[in-house]
Amino acid sequence: MKLRGTFGALRLLMAAVCLVALVSRFLWGLGSATFTPGNFFAYLTIQSSMLFLVVTIIAAVVSLRGQDDAPWLDLARATVLSCTVSCGIIFALIIEQSGERGFRIDVPWSDVVLHFVLPAVAVLDWIIGTGRGVAPWRSIAIVLVFMLGWGLVTLARGPIVGWYPYFFLDPAQLANVAQFFFYGSIAVLLFGGISTALVAVSRTMPLGERWTARWEVRSALTPPRTE
């Protein structure tokens, strides 16, 4: 019970950090002449981070109550975490590609937190945290449908507003259609692979529960001390 309370507190802390990072990222964006709220909320990272905030708060409350995750919560956590981790990896690739092309990308601390720190801590929580159940395989399909749906909306919106959140979606920054399908295929494989890995991990006992069980067995087998 004490361990669950610890993970519940950790999840509340993650949610608080996520909220502060989202607000900070929005305020930082206001300093750009091309910033608009519509474009800010069009980023897949921002959308997945907002979902992460809601799901993490719910998971924290459940853990603090000493309850196991409901099946729908396991599904939601696996789905949202898949998107969050995948966005972090894609962001890292974008930074690398921009450097090779001679473009400068300013990365505020909020982006570092949203793309790298929170996903890493959340994955550890997924592996170790108590109360987690088994995520269904349909989580993979939900992740891919969400990603493809977001992509289609972004492609339809791009010519209207004259803006694309990522270079591999902007026809003006691609040499040909083959490049678009190449980057798109990488994104699909990445999202699908991360989601598959997280669902597979959910089929193992959380390390926190395994450690607790071993400690209880060891305590039961240890003979009481006698004076």
Side-chain angles (χ1 to χ4, degrees):
M1 187 66 69
K2 185 181 294 186
L3 189 59
R4 278 193 191 181
T6 300
F7 278 101
L10 171 64
R11 289 163 191 167
L12 281 181
L13 178 60
M14 282 196 297
V17 172
C18 182
L19 178 60
V20 171
L22 283 170
V23 173
S24 176
R25 180 61 180 81
F26 182 86
L27 295 177
W28 182 82
L30 290 175
S32 172
T34 59
F35 177 85
T36 65
N39 290 344
F40 175 79
F41 290 106
Y43 279 106
L44 186 57
T45 297
I46 300 302
Q47 294 179 15
S48 62
S49 295
M50 293 172 65
L51 292 173
F52 176 83
L53 173 62
V54 174
V55 171
T56 302
I57 291 175
I58 296 173
V61 172
V62 169
S63 186
L64 289 172
R65 289 180 176 178
Q67 301 172 342
D68 291 337
D69 291 353
W72 67 266
L73 184 53
D74 290 321
L75 173 62
R77 289 182 64 197
T79 302
V80 172
L81 185 56
S82 298
C83 294
T84 305
V85 173
S86 299
C87 286
I89 296 175
I90 289 178
F91 185 70
L93 294 175
I94 289 175
I95 294 176
E96 180 186 2
Q97 287 294 315
S98 298
E100 293 181 357
R101 297 181 180 204
F103 293 105
R104 175 185 172 184
I105 294 183
D106 294 324
V107 182
W109 70 265
S110 53
D111 269 337
V112 175
V113 169
L114 294 174
H115 288 98
F116 306 125
V117 178
L118 283 178
V121 176
V123 168
L124 288 177
D125 179 27
W126 183 252
I127 297 172
I128 301 173
T130 58
R132 170 182 48 77
V134 177
W137 290 109
R138 69 175 178 274
S139 172
I140 304 170
I142 295 175
V143 168
L144 294 178
V145 168
F146 175 72
M147 185 204 70
L148 292 174
W150 173 87
L152 291 175
V153 171
T154 300
L155 290 175
R157 180 177 180 271
I160 298 175
V161 300
W163 177 87
Y164 295 85
Y166 305 111
F167 78 90
F168 53 85
L169 296 176
D170 186 355
Q173 298 190 53
L174 297 176
N176 47 53
V177 177
Q179 268 196 343
F180 168 78
F181 284 106
F182 172 74
Y183 287 117
S185 299
I186 292 178
V188 170
L189 291 174
L190 177 62
F191 275 76
I194 295 296
S195 182
T196 301
L198 292 175
V199 172
V201 167
S202 75
R203 277 154 170 71
T204 63
M205 179 184 292
L207 290 180
E209 293 182 0
R210 192 177 303 175
W211 294 336
T212 301
R214 288 179 180 177
W215 177 260
E216 290 176 350
V217 170
R218 182 178 300 177
S219 299
L221 294 178
T222 301
R225 290 185 177 181
T226 56
E227 296 294 337

